[in-house]
Amino acid sequence: MRGKNKIPSVKQADTCHIGIDLLGSDVSPQKLLEAIVAFRPTLKPSVQLTLFGQKEHFERFDALTSDGIVLHPVQELIAMEDDPLHAIRRKKKSSLYLGIQMLKEGHLDAFISTGNTGALMAGSKLLLSTLPGIDRPALLTLLPTRTTDVAVLDVGANTSYKTKHLVQFALMGVAFQKSRGVTTPKVGLLNIGSEERKGTPELRAAYEAIRKLSENSDFTFVGNIEARAVFHGGVDVLVTDGFTGNIFLKTAEGIGIVVLEELEASTQENAVALKQALASLRQHLHYAEYPGALLCGVNGIVIKCHGNGTSQSVLASITSAVRLVEHHFLQSIIMHK
Amino acid sequence: MRGKNKIPSVKQADTCHIGIDLLGSDVSPQKLLEAIVAFRPTLKPSVQLTLFGQKEHFERFDALTSDGIVLHPVQELIAMEDDPLHAIRRKKKSSLYLGIQMLKEGHLDAFISTGNTGALMAGSKLLLSTLPGIDRPALLTLLPTRTTDVAVLDVGANTSYKTKHLVQFALMGVAFQKSRGVTTPKVGLLNIGSEERKGTPELRAAYEAIRKLSENSDFTFVGNIEARAVFHGGVDVLVTDGFTGNIFLKTAEGIGIVVLEELEASTQENAVALKQALASLRQHLHYAEYPGALLCGVNGIVIKCHGNGTSQSVLASITSAVRLVEHHFLQSIIMHK
């Protein structure tokens, strides 16, 4: 069992317990359950999934045919519209609260939720606290570009920031990309120009601090990156504050979807090849396919899926969570400090 | 003649002098000149265009067949890579400096340049100074959405800001959209959520100040707008600080172009209908077609075209400049204060 603030012990690679909150999103819990049951055989036998839902969601479930899946009925639900702090303080029998608590107590190695983002962040900070050397958790999301995927953080956990937070975000992003097999991640700082002296005083100080840190480290600092250049690829970790990162992410989502919708609307029904190209591009651009956002910096692996996502985003999150557990993501953040 | 800091007099609608800097961009001055000469007959006879270029660019020009076009040979050139402040102080015979000076002296009603943005901003602030009631100029750009075009400001003139600057940006954006015929512009504040209490303390204060101002005014305040929602349309003026606005604009440009390139690459050569749809969408999304950015808040109409734009963006800027002059854009900003 893991106590608060204690550095997590190194995980044995032969067991992996993932908790999944079926409640609080737009997707029906039954649909999520069905998708997860069908997906389970593609995972290693050592992976165990604990599903949090309400009793009625589990009625049609056949436990006999579903090795490696455990049901955990709960009595309360934190809704999307609930006030995050209030909900976390009052609803201690909710799937979201119980999942984080089991993570803290070591019964789970990772916890995935499609529910209330604010409550998930507040609960994680409150119950798990931050890792040694990390002052503030950040939301990390993986974004497709023309070439490789870029890990962007923070995309919305904090609206104010200091230089040291940006430096910590860089290190967490590096640990994340290393868990994905990127041996020497390229780190860039999101800015309004590529020249060294661009942007705010905090950004100029962060530029210098990250550059210095990269000298004896296992990542490369590529300097300031303009928003436009990010989509060409070539940067593995994009460091930014939560306000700017959120604007960046939502602008990308917004215009990507508008472009696709305009094209789909203007396409004749018989243009089969185009339909296929559009469907493939939609899959490439649509962030529901992506494993949501990782709340990194807390003492536990917590993943937030898009509330309006499909079951697909939850399945991608399971794969992502297993990989983070097996690659000792939390330890690798601490080792960098 | 108009003196520094003096409120500009109301312009007679029957004359309109537009200065155009042919130097300092990626497009060749000769090409620009040809495009402008071909475009001139589509404008009213009362519009006079003064073109700034070097002597050799004017060699093939036939003045006899080009009513309403005046050539202004200059001896110096501010290049893209020149330091803005240094260039403005030293190169007083450059097209950029002379154009702004003629604007100040009332020989021009508007000045358009594709050259060095920093030098254009520095020169305008230095020579024209700001309008009464405006503390800082802002760069305004018009962005296409699914429905109407949205005026976004500031997109990069300032990296730091206070609440009062955002309020001034809102009023300048309203004046701009009214000149385009939008009778009651809808103003929104770019934020990370639509709820009233979202974002930084400055944004919350700006929310309250703009809301209050809208009560007895000729615009509607629609509150906070998420980046994703902007592209659905419905907002005429999007208020933001220069750092966030720049990230927003460049993200939109970046992903729009990547989506188009991916689709164009995946399209078979015989898919004529699709090629047409893509070309039309490219035109719709490509900001080179748009009249660049308006430097609003200085005592003169100054427009910056994309340096990597086509001649098309300069022609669109001419149309835009004529409209701003005829609609007394500068006076309407002052009246709002």
Side-chain angles (χ1 to χ4, degrees), chain A residues 27-133:
Chain A
V27 186
S28 88
Q30 284 93 341
K31 270 203 168 169
L32 265 182
L33 177 63
E34 278 169 32
I36 292 167
V37 170
F39 181 67
R40 174 65 193 81
T42 67
L43 299 167
K44 291 181 203 165
S46 57
V47 175
Q48 182 171 305
L49 305 178
T50 297
L51 311 185
F52 297 85
Q54 284 171 312
K55 218 175 160 187
E56 64 266 34
H57 305 137
F58 297 145
E59 275 166 7
R60 284 168 47 205
F61 178 74
D62 182 1
L64 291 175
T65 60
S66 301
D67 269 354
I69 294 186
V70 173
L71 303 181
H72 195 114
V74 297
Q75 292 157 40
E76 272 182 316
L77 158 73
I78 294 181
M80 280 292 184
E81 56 277 13
D82 280 353
D83 175 72
L85 272 177
H86 190 267
I88 278 297
R89 287 199 191 109
R90 300 292 179 91
K91 296 187 170 177
K92 299 198 172 171
K93 290 177 179 170
S94 65
S95 50
L96 204 148
Y97 190 96
L98 287 171
I100 301 171
Q101 196 172 40
M102 283 178 66
L103 191 59
K104 179 186 169 185
E105 290 170 353
H107 302 306
L108 292 177
D109 297 304
F111 179 59
I112 297 164
S113 174
T114 55
N116 187 313
T117 308
L120 189 66
M121 291 201 294
S124 299
K125 273 198 245 188
L126 195 74
L127 290 170
L128 303 171
S129 99
T130 54
L131 285 168

Side-chain angles (χ1 to χ4, degrees), chain B residues 50-71:
Chain B
T50 297
L51 311 185
F52 297 85
Q54 284 172 312
K55 217 175 161 187
E56 64 266 34
H57 304 137
F58 298 144
E59 276 167 5
R60 283 167 49 205
F61 179 75
D62 183 0
L64 290 175
T65 60
S66 301
D67 269 353
I69 294 187
V70 174
L71 304 182

Side-chain angles (χ1 to χ4, degrees), chain A residues 76-219:
Chain A
E76 272 182 316
L77 158 73
I78 294 181
M80 280 292 184
E81 56 277 13
D82 280 353
D83 175 72
L85 272 177
H86 190 267
I88 278 297
R89 287 199 191 109
R90 300 292 179 91
K91 296 187 170 177
K92 299 198 172 171
K93 290 177 179 170
S94 65
S95 50
L96 204 148
Y97 190 96
L98 287 171
I100 301 171
Q101 196 172 40
M102 283 178 66
L103 191 59
K104 179 186 169 185
E105 290 170 353
H107 302 306
L108 292 177
D109 297 304
F111 179 59
I112 297 164
S113 174
T114 55
N116 187 313
T117 308
L120 189 66
M121 291 201 294
S124 299
K125 273 198 245 188
L126 195 74
L127 290 170
L128 303 171
S129 99
T130 54
L131 285 168
I134 302 294
D135 295 296
R136 286 184 187 176
L139 277 171
L140 178 155
T141 199
L142 203 60
L143 208 69
T145 74
R146 292 193 77 181
T147 54
T148 50
D149 292 337
V150 58
V152 185
L153 73 170
D154 177 16
V155 295
N158 317 279
T159 53
S160 68
Y161 69 101
K162 291 181 183 162
T163 299
K164 65 173 178 181
H165 301 130
L166 296 180
V167 176
Q168 292 167 9
F169 296 169
L171 295 177
M172 294 196 284
V174 167
F176 178 82
Q177 284 290 34
K178 289 180 88 75
S179 85
R180 296 183 68 239
V182 182
T183 47
T184 312
K186 294 191 185 75
V187 176
L189 197 56
L190 183 60
N191 207 329
I192 57 172
S194 55
E195 305 86 348
E196 187 174 340
R197 304 287 308 156
K198 279 282 176 180
T200 61
E202 289 80 14
L203 279 172
R204 289 197 288 272
Y207 184 104
E208 195 43 38
I210 300 173
R211 192 197 56 72
K212 212 166 173 181
L213 203 62
S214 72
E215 282 172 5
N216 295 304
S217 201
D218 50 357
F219 69 92

Side-chain angles (χ1 to χ4, degrees), chain A residues 265-287:
Chain A
S266 72
T267 304
Q268 286 90 343
E269 283 179 22
N270 57 356
V272 180
L274 171 64
K275 292 257 169 187
Q276 281 168 352
L278 285 176
S280 134
L281 187 69
R282 179 177 275 278
Q283 185 153 356
H284 183 59
L285 277 171
H286 208 296
Y287 304 106

Side-chain angles (χ1 to χ4, degrees), chain A residues 146 159 191-192 203 226-228 231 243-244 246 248 250-251 253 255 258-259 261-263 274 285, chain B residues 146 159 191-192 203 226-228 231 243-244 246 248 250-251 253 255 258-259 261 263 274 281 285:
Chain A
R146 292 193 77 181
T159 53
N191 207 329
I192 57 172
L203 279 172
E226 278 198 283
R228 192 161 34 194
F231 300 99
F243 186 91
T244 309
N246 192 278
F248 171 78
K250 290 191 176 164
T251 306
E253 287 182 350
I255 196 144
V258 165
V259 168
E261 286 177 354
E262 292 243 331
L263 274 180
L274 171 64
L285 277 171
Chain B
R146 292 192 76 182
T159 54
N191 207 330
I192 56 172
L203 279 173
E226 278 198 282
R228 192 161 34 193
F231 300 100
F243 185 91
T244 309
N246 193 278
F248 172 78
K250 290 191 176 164
T251 306
E253 287 181 350
I255 196 144
V258 164
V259 168
E261 286 176 354
L263 274 179
L274 171 64
L281 187 68
L285 276 171

